[in-house]
Amino acid sequence: MAQNILFVCLGNICRSPAAEGVFRALCPEVATDSAGTASYHVGSPPYGPMKAAAKARGFDLSDLRARQFSRQDFDRFDLIIGMDGDNLGDIEAQRPKGATTPVKLFTDYAPGQGADHVPDPYYTRDFEGCLDLIEAAAAGLTKALRNSSAG
Ligand code: 4NP
């Protein structure tokens, strides 16, 4: 079972902190962090509308602060999960030689949702749709991890 999971998006103020906040509530036995491929918002709390929408569903993101993804994260985490194909490309471009840490799309864990990425609500403004998808993927990831450790 993966012990340390890193969620990654572009800014680390909308999708990845929401993913971390939802997943840690569902699967508290796994350590989590989140990061952005860009540095724009380093040190900032999650974006207000995302924080409020998550809070309304019972997920508190207020302790989270943005940081930038770095190549050292390949050593620190057992699994790295990006929100869209750009995130995966930016993460893979920093993979150190020999690093075997898997990098997956979060939507891989929510196959029934018909989404091949988590759209960025900073631009779409669809915070509820984003959280619906994140909740489904977090549940799918939790199930996958618990099944694999039961074996
Ligand atoms: P996120 O959304 O990647 O889900 O955190 C974004 C937030 C801010 C910006 C881009 C994406 N930005 O360019 O400021």
Side-chain angles (χ1 to χ4, degrees):
M1 179 156 175
Q3 297 298 314
N4 285 282
I5 297 181
L6 180 66
F7 297 94
V8 178
C9 63
L10 175 60
N12 194 208
I13 57 168
C14 289
R15 293 166 295 171
S16 61
E20 180 182 8
V22 171
F23 176 74
R24 72 182 176 182
L26 267 52
C27 196
E29 66 270 31
V30 170
T32 56
D33 194 9
S34 66
T37 57
S39 62
Y40 325 123
H41 299 287
V42 169
S44 297
Y47 187 50
M50 177 53 95
K51 206 163 59 175
K55 184 84 195 228
R57 296 182 183 213
F59 303 108
D60 185 1
L61 310 183
S62 59
D63 59 311
L64 303 177
R65 295 295 179 273
R67 72 167 178 91
Q68 190 170 18
F69 179 80
S70 86
R71 63 201 306 276
Q72 283 77 33
D73 287 318
F74 280 94
D75 291 332
R76 296 186 186 128
F77 295 92
D78 308 304
L79 175 61
I80 299 173
I81 296 179
M83 300 297 132
D84 62 32
D86 287 346
N87 303 152
L88 260 57
D90 291 338
I91 293 164
E92 289 292 358
Q94 298 183 63
R95 180 184 287 278
K97 214 174 152 104
T100 56
T101 311
V103 178
K104 306 273 194 196
L105 268 178
F106 201 27
T107 46
D108 290 349
Y109 299 97
Q113 298 293 309
D116 63 1
H117 69 290
V118 181
D120 193 339
Y122 192 73
Y123 300 110
T124 68
R125 314 309 294 174
D126 183 9
F127 296 95
E128 297 302 331
C130 181
L131 281 169
D132 288 345
L133 194 48
I134 284 173
E135 285 200 61
L141 175 59
T142 299
K143 200 169 165 185
L145 293 170
R146 288 182 180 159
N147 282 345
S148 70
S149 70

